[in-house]
Amino acid sequence: MITSDLVWALGEQVESQSRSDNRREDLEDLMQLFIKVVDDTSTMEIMRFDLSRAWVETAHRFRHPSVTTAYEKVLSLLQNYFFYSPTLETQHGRLISMREECKDLPSNYASYQVHTGQLNRAIETLERGRALLWSEMRSFRTSADRLAAVNLALAEEFVAINSKLEQVTTSTVPYGIIEAEGSIREGPGIMDPFGPLVEKRQKLLEDREELISRIRDLPDLNNFLKPPSFDALRSAALRGPVIIVNPCKYRSDILILFHNSPPSLITTADDFHDRALQLGDRLVKDRKKYSLESKQYQKALRSVLKDLYELVGRPVVEEFRKMKIEEQSRVWWCPTSVFGHLPLHAMGPIPSDDGVKRYFSDLYISSYTPTLSALIESRKSAGGLGGQSSSKPSILLVAQPESLRYAIPEIWTIQRLDATVTSLISKKATPRSVVESLRNHQFSHFVCHGNLERGKPLDASLRLYGGEPLTLLDIVRSRLPSAEFAFLSACHTAELTEESIDDEALHLTAAMQYCGFRSVVGTMWAMIDQGGQTLIQDFYKTLLSSDEPGVPYHERSARALRDAVRNLRREGASLERWVNYVHYGA
């Protein structure tokens, strides 16, 4: 058993080592002491996690051979400690309480792997260490089709356990309790408010692990529910390259994932990490300080887009040209850290000989994805109403015109489309009626207020009749097998709440993608109540009339959005208005 004396001794050695960079004679003893402490299961989990972080920092700093083992151990302990919490809300609470301790771990590990030439491993690490909440929830909806073909009874048992786990994990508790449970303290009473809920989840997790072990003994299922390999992840780039920007204090890199060739590595300047953080801070602070329509904010946004192009856009465009990626190709951004706040799709203007202002979106059609796995999932065949058929999709229109000036023209635009449109307007739009109708339509278009709750991303919502919220958690609970595309014409739908975790990507657009929508259009911040009708008209005209044989309608949405936004820009729309729109998914 680890004693307090041993822990103090370890702390003293770490402090001594940090003061003496050139002292290496006792480094091996220090590393062995770390291993002994971290592997002692009788020690509290949080203490083991804290000391594993010290191990990582020391090993990385001194380039000790144990650095890989240390990173693997700290990520494993983080996930164990995190998943012990019974619900999404309490899990998020724990992540918030540990934000400073854990936010950079995947990025730091990936930077080390890039440094040692392990690009494939770095991509695996970034996928494994980010969006922990979405990854957990997605595992509960893992397809059992392959398993059913081998052993139907096990498949049914697996689906049943996952359903029960999802029900427990998406249940709610008072936020006062969440804050207590989310803290890193351990001891008697901390988990008492949850009682049976904790015990039920732990029993289900144990049963699930035992079941997964049995499943992996079956033919061709030995990798069942293991973290995706690089070979699996590279399928995310099937329709175009995926760009992963990894800012890190040790070294920052831009990785470009291709479907059938090795990933590209773009090395960056030593000040890349600091410049990226400064850009994120500038944009957020100026958005709070100035009105979105003000000249001051337009100037600030223009400056950020210009600097962002120099930091990220220019090297990416140069690499694309080197790799012969044709202009007008689709590309995807998988943003990490501060880049989850930055409009990578709109970087520029790009210097040109003809004097015409062009932005990144003029050269390449950008989409975003929270993770590579989310993008892969969005391309799987849809079920329900015939899936990816060539017939025009049915559209659900959800609108609240009472509180939005621009809503009526937008409603008329949708209702006049050459497609079957079902309208839930004003009092007909309640959370229950909306969720029920979403199950029966391939496309959905929301015209309402979007709302963020500071520090409570699961309470982010679309405001329906009487201000009743359709929350992010409500959306997560939904199963929408027929869903293909959603346009969220509402404020903040792709914006991260304050005091949330950047790499968790907890926003409404990601929630729509999780519950079944293959493609989603959202907004990075608040919307200005003007000009929406023009953009909507252009968007759906391109989407429903474009001649793209074999391309499902939802996969035409990225190009349709880019073209509609470009038309809006050419008509003189302010910078903020056209930069705001983003496309997620397939």
Side-chain angles (χ1 to χ4, degrees):
M1 180 176 178
I2 301 301
T3 65
S4 58
D5 289 340
L6 184 55
V7 173
W8 277 110
L10 183 59
E12 289 172 359
Q13 279 201 264
V14 172
E15 185 178 353
S16 172
Q17 201 74 39
S18 66
R19 289 197 305 264
S20 307
D21 287 356
N22 297 321
R23 235 181 116 194
R24 301 185 64 91
E25 60 269 17
D26 61 345
L27 186 60
E28 287 302 324
D29 290 340
L30 178 59
M31 294 297 107
Q32 290 304 312
L33 191 54
F34 273 128
I35 293 170
K36 185 175 182 180
V37 173
V38 170
D39 284 344
D40 190 330
T41 57
S42 65
T43 303
M44 286 191 298
E45 195 93 353
I46 188 60
M47 183 180 292
R48 294 170 64 204
F49 172 73
D50 284 341
L51 291 172
S52 67
R53 285 194 304 111
W55 179 11
V56 159
E57 289 288 336
T58 308
H60 198 142
R61 179 177 182 180
F62 291 99
R63 300 182 182 179
H64 189 266
S66 69
V67 65
T68 296
T69 305
Y71 270 118
E72 290 293 331
K73 180 62 71 173
V74 73
L75 288 177
S76 176
L77 287 169
L78 171 62
Q79 290 184 325
N80 289 344
Y81 186 63
F82 160 73
F83 285 125
Y84 182 62
S85 298
T87 70
L88 283 176
E89 291 173 321
T90 57
Q91 288 172 3
H92 180 259
R94 282 207 165 185
L95 285 177
I96 288 293
S97 70
M98 301 168 68
R99 176 180 6 211
E100 295 306 313
E101 291 88 349
C102 67
K103 67 177 182 178
D104 295 327
L105 286 173
S107 292
N108 293 348
Y109 189 13
S111 77
Y112 169 77
Q113 290 169 319
V114 170
H115 177 72
T116 54
Q118 305 176 74
L119 301 191
N120 296 2
R121 294 284 189 188
I123 290 169
E124 291 175 347
T125 293
L126 290 171
E127 181 73 7
R128 169 188 168 194
R130 299 176 57 253
L132 297 178
L133 294 171
W134 291 127
S135 297
E136 177 194 33
M137 293 302 298
R138 190 165 281 108
S139 76
F140 295 153
R141 296 189 180 183
T142 299
S143 172
D145 291 347
R146 283 184 60 207
L147 175 59
V150 177
N151 190 314
L152 182 59
L154 279 183
E156 291 174 345
E157 187 178 352
F158 176 72
V159 170
I161 286 181
N162 279 341
S163 179
K164 292 176 182 177
L165 271 168
E166 182 175 340
Q167 185 177 15
V168 171
T169 306
T170 57
S171 59
T172 57
V173 292
Y175 262 100
I177 295 176
I178 293 168
E179 291 169 3
E181 200 282 330
S183 69
I184 61 175
R185 293 177 292 110
E186 291 189 359
I190 291 297
M191 300 301 292
D192 286 348
F194 301 93
L197 189 64
V198 175
E199 294 179 4
K200 181 177 181 180
R201 178 179 160 88
Q202 287 301 108
K203 179 64 166 61
L204 287 169
L205 286 172
E206 290 169 6
D207 291 346
R208 186 172 184 254
E209 284 303 307
E210 188 274 332
L211 181 59
I212 291 172
S213 179
R214 288 159 55 197
I215 292 170
R216 288 174 180 168
D217 289 335
L218 296 174
D220 299 322
L221 290 171
N222 56 303
N223 290 322
F224 188 78
L225 267 189
K226 288 184 178 179
S229 66
F230 173 78
D231 286 338
L233 293 173
R234 72 191 309 174
S235 67
L238 183 64
R239 308 288 172 82
V242 182
I243 309 135
I244 305 170
V245 189
N246 186 42
C248 174
K249 65 181 180 181
Y250 294 114
R251 61 169 289 163
S252 299
D253 300 283
I254 301 173
L255 296 165
I256 304 180
L257 181 66
F258 299 99
H259 174 56
N260 53 7
S261 60
S264 288
L265 170 64
I266 302 175
T267 56
T268 65
D270 291 341
D271 63 350
F272 183 98
H273 179 250
D274 291 339
R275 290 167 64 191
L277 293 179
Q278 289 167 8
L279 281 176
D281 287 343
R282 274 167 51 194
L283 187 61
V284 172
K285 288 178 181 177
D286 287 338
R287 197 156 64 237
K288 290 180 181 179
K289 185 177 181 181
Y290 303 116
S291 163
L292 293 179
E293 300 174 84
S294 68
K295 291 182 179 179
Q296 295 97 322
Y297 182 69
Q298 300 301 314
K299 180 179 179 181
L301 180 57
R302 189 175 296 111
S303 174
V304 167
L305 294 179
K306 180 180 178 181
D307 291 348
L308 191 58
Y309 177 75
E310 293 301 323
L311 188 67
V312 177
R314 182 187 295 277
V316 168
V317 169
E318 289 174 354
E319 185 67 17
F320 278 174
R321 288 171 176 167
K322 175 183 172 184
M323 298 295 294
K324 300 189 181 337
I325 304 298
E326 294 183 0
E327 292 188 8
Q328 308 309 312
S329 296
R330 290 198 61 187
V331 302
W332 279 262
W333 296 94
C334 189
T336 70
S337 183
V338 66
F339 287 99
H341 299 274
L342 292 168
L344 293 161
H345 63 287
M347 298 179 290
I350 300 170
S352 63
D353 295 332
D354 57 13
V356 176
K357 274 192 177 182
R358 294 184 180 88
Y359 294 82
F360 189 89
S361 58
D362 290 311
L363 301 187
Y364 302 99
I365 301 168
S366 289
S367 297
Y368 293 83
T369 183
T371 62
L372 299 175
S373 297
L375 180 55
I376 294 168
E377 191 69 24
S378 71
R379 295 202 183 110
K380 292 183 178 178
S381 297
L385 301 174
Q388 301 171 2
S389 66
S390 58
S391 58
K392 288 186 177 178
S394 60
I395 302 174
L396 174 67
L397 170 63
V398 180
Q400 293 298 309
E402 293 85 357
S403 58
L404 293 172
R405 289 183 303 172
Y406 65 85
I408 295 297
E410 194 166 328
I411 290 170
W412 290 344
T413 298
I414 301 299
Q415 290 179 331
R416 293 170 182 171
L417 292 174
D418 182 19
T420 302
V421 179
T422 301
S423 299
L424 293 178
I425 298 174
S426 296
K427 64 181 180 181
K428 290 184 178 180
T430 65
R432 182 174 179 178
S433 66
V434 169
V435 170
E436 288 177 352
S437 297
L438 286 173
R439 296 190 180 102
N440 303 315
H441 294 81
Q442 295 148 311
F443 277 32
S444 297
H445 189 100
F446 285 79
V447 188
C448 59
H449 281 296
N451 188 60
L452 296 182
E453 293 287 344
R454 181 174 179 142
K456 302 176 182 178
L458 296 172
D459 284 353
S461 62
L462 298 166
R463 293 289 170 172
L464 303 180
Y465 182 67
E468 197 170 359
L470 177 66
T471 69
L472 185 148
L473 193 54
D474 292 330
I475 295 168
V476 166
R477 292 188 183 111
S478 306
R479 288 178 179 264
L480 308 174
S482 303
E484 293 183 4
F485 170 75
F487 197 120
L488 305 182
S489 187
C491 299
H492 311 296
T493 53
E495 182 178 354
L496 298 170
T497 64
E498 289 187 61
E499 299 179 11
S500 187
I501 307 293
D502 293 347
D503 278 345
E504 286 304 299
L506 288 173
H507 50 66
L508 291 164
T509 300
M512 297 296 277
Q513 191 181 4
Y514 165 77
C515 75
F517 286 95
R518 275 101 175 91
S519 303
V520 187
V521 170
T523 54
M524 296 193 76
W525 44 72
M527 294 176 64
I528 297 174
D529 286 5
Q530 59 179 345
Q533 181 186 17
T534 300
L535 181 135
I536 298 303
Q537 284 177 338
D538 290 345
F539 172 80
Y540 281 105
K541 179 180 179 180
T542 299
L543 181 73
L544 297 176
S545 64
S546 62
D547 184 19
E548 298 180 63
V551 180
Y553 280 101
H554 68 273
E555 289 195 17
R556 306 178 191 186
S557 57
R559 184 181 299 274
L561 179 67
R562 192 285 302 267
D563 292 350
V565 164
R566 188 159 56 179
N567 290 341
L568 192 66
R569 192 179 86 216
R570 288 170 176 169
E571 291 177 3
S574 64
L575 196 63
E576 176 278 332
R577 284 178 56 210
W578 67 263
V579 172
N580 197 1
Y581 294 96
V582 288
H583 182 275
Y584 272 71

